[in-house]
Amino acid sequence: MTTLTINPSGKVFEAAPGSTLLQAILDAGEQLVSKCSGEAKCGACHVFVTEGRKGINRIGPLENSKLDTLVGIGSKSRLACQVQLGTEPVTVELLGALSGF
């Protein structure tokens, strides 16, 4: 299992390796909007991966293209629907209204 820490709530959740970050966040009981069913088309599931970036998959062309259209992205930006969890611990920061905070 992969240890996922979700901020700003500080919730810690054990997720299955290979699952998407979006599914793990939702399984942990957190709120995160996804309007495109995980196809990297809406950008609503934008999060910051603050720790553990080496333990997840690299950004693919589809995700990179969508991130290029969003405001407020940074070097830690990812679309939760496109992140595949590995076995290393990951910490994410949910963003503003999209996360229910």
Side-chain angles (χ1 to χ4, degrees):
M1 298 299 275
T2 301
T3 302
L4 173 63
T5 303
I6 305 167
N7 290 320
S9 70
K11 185 177 282 186
V12 177
F13 182 75
E14 294 296 319
S19 62
T20 66
L21 181 55
L22 176 61
Q23 191 58 55
I25 290 169
L26 295 175
D27 288 348
E30 296 284 339
Q31 294 181 340
L32 187 61
V33 175
S34 176
K35 299 176 183 176
C36 68
S37 301
E39 295 183 20
K41 292 181 179 177
C42 70
C45 65
H46 173 225
V47 297
F48 290 130
V49 178
T50 57
E51 293 181 33
R53 289 182 288 157
K54 291 183 180 182
I56 58 177
N57 63 315
R58 293 176 157 239
I59 294 176
L62 187 63
E63 179 181 8
N64 195 46
S65 293
K66 182 41 117 182
L67 286 171
D68 283 346
T69 69
L70 301 178
V71 175
I73 65 161
S75 62
K76 298 177 182 181
S77 291
R78 291 297 303 264
L79 298 180
C81 68
Q82 298 299 300
V83 174
Q84 297 289 318
L85 295 173
T87 57
E88 294 184 27
V90 174
T91 301
V92 298
E93 183 81 24
L94 301 185
L95 306 170
L98 298 180
S99 64
F101 289 98

